[in-house]
Amino acid sequence: GAVVSQHPSWVICKSGTSVKIECRSLDFQATTMFWYRQFPKQSLMLMATSNEGSKATYEQGVEKDKFLINHASLTLSTLTVTSAHPEDSSFYICSARSGGTGAGETQYFGPGTRLLVL
Amino acid sequence: KNEVEQSPQNLTAQEGEFITINCSYSVGISALHWLQQHPGGGIVSLFMLSSGKKKHGRLIATINIQEKHSSLHITASHPRDSAVYICAGRKTSGSRLTFGEGTQLTVNP
């Protein structure tokens, strides 16, 4: 199946710093990428949806100035957590979907990035 | 009521047993994903189906559109199958997924 990679796989940073997480689709062109956040023992929570070349659509309650998303190419999307605080510590997962709106389009998930803000 | 509901929440089995995880979903969902999340956190997409049945190795997924119900079966279960299994519904309009709460499966040797 298709492969989605994330980098870094884990990161520890000091409060107040910014952290960038990359999501790449390795063998297909992802017109749509999704960023999720997951707290321990909870389900994935969609943060935002990004389409290549356009602004991301953020879910209610997600601060767009705090979580900057860039989807500059069909194979790369980045999530930057600006001025990170301990409450931003979480597991961030991206997923990617190729073009088309048919029921046959599968979403492929990245391995996740574990962020710990001290 | 959640749009996607899974059962059971937790499931413990002995190696070799046949396992079934169920997922019910509401109107407006046109396709269902079955995902596997291992303790390390990474998520693997197992199946995406909108009708019928799919099989991959020891895994079988079925969906009944009329009853809005899907099942994931694991035959000859193995300890390495231990993971959280998540069903996620994709709405007819749009591309976002709605996730079930997940089923924690533990297969003991």
Side-chain angles (χ1 to χ4, degrees), chain A residues 32 34 36 38 42-44 46 49 59 91 93 97 100-112 114, chain B residues 30-31 33 35 37 39-45 47-48 50 86 90 92 94-97 99-102 104:
Chain A
T32 306
F34 306 86
Y36 298 91
Q38 186 181 36
Q42 292 188 24
S43 191
L44 282 74
L46 180 65
T49 302
E59 294 299 301
F91 190 55
I93 304 169
R97 194 165 145 257
T101 56
E105 294 300 327
T106 299
Q107 257 181 258
Y108 299 96
F109 288 81
R114 200 163 297 281
Chain B
S30 61
H33 290 253
L35 311 171
Q37 186 171 30
I43 290 178
V44 175
S45 182
F47 296 105
M48 197 283 296
S50 53
I86 304 166
R90 183 168 145 207
T92 307
S95 56
R96 60 187 300 173
L97 296 179
F99 294 89
E101 293 296 314
Q104 173 69 62

Side-chain angles (χ1 to χ4, degrees), chain B residues 12-83:
Chain B
T12 301
Q14 285 300 122
E15 184 173 357
E17 285 185 1
F18 180 83
I19 287 162
T20 296
I21 299 170
N22 296 300
C23 180
S24 297
Y25 57 93
S26 60
V27 172
I29 287 175
S30 61
L32 210 67
H33 290 253
W34 279 102
L35 311 171
Q36 179 192 56
Q37 186 171 30
H38 277 283
I43 290 178
V44 175
S45 182
L46 300 174
F47 296 105
M48 197 283 296
L49 64 167
S50 53
S51 65
K53 173 180 174 179
K54 288 188 177 180
K55 184 177 190 292
H56 182 70
R58 294 181 294 106
L59 301 177
I60 303 167
T62 63
I63 189 168
N64 184 317
I65 298 169
Q66 285 73 33
E67 294 185 6
K68 296 184 182 50
H69 181 269
S70 177
S71 293
L72 176 69
H73 306 285
I74 305 175
T75 60
S77 59
H78 192 275
R80 65 174 173 267
D81 297 327
S82 299

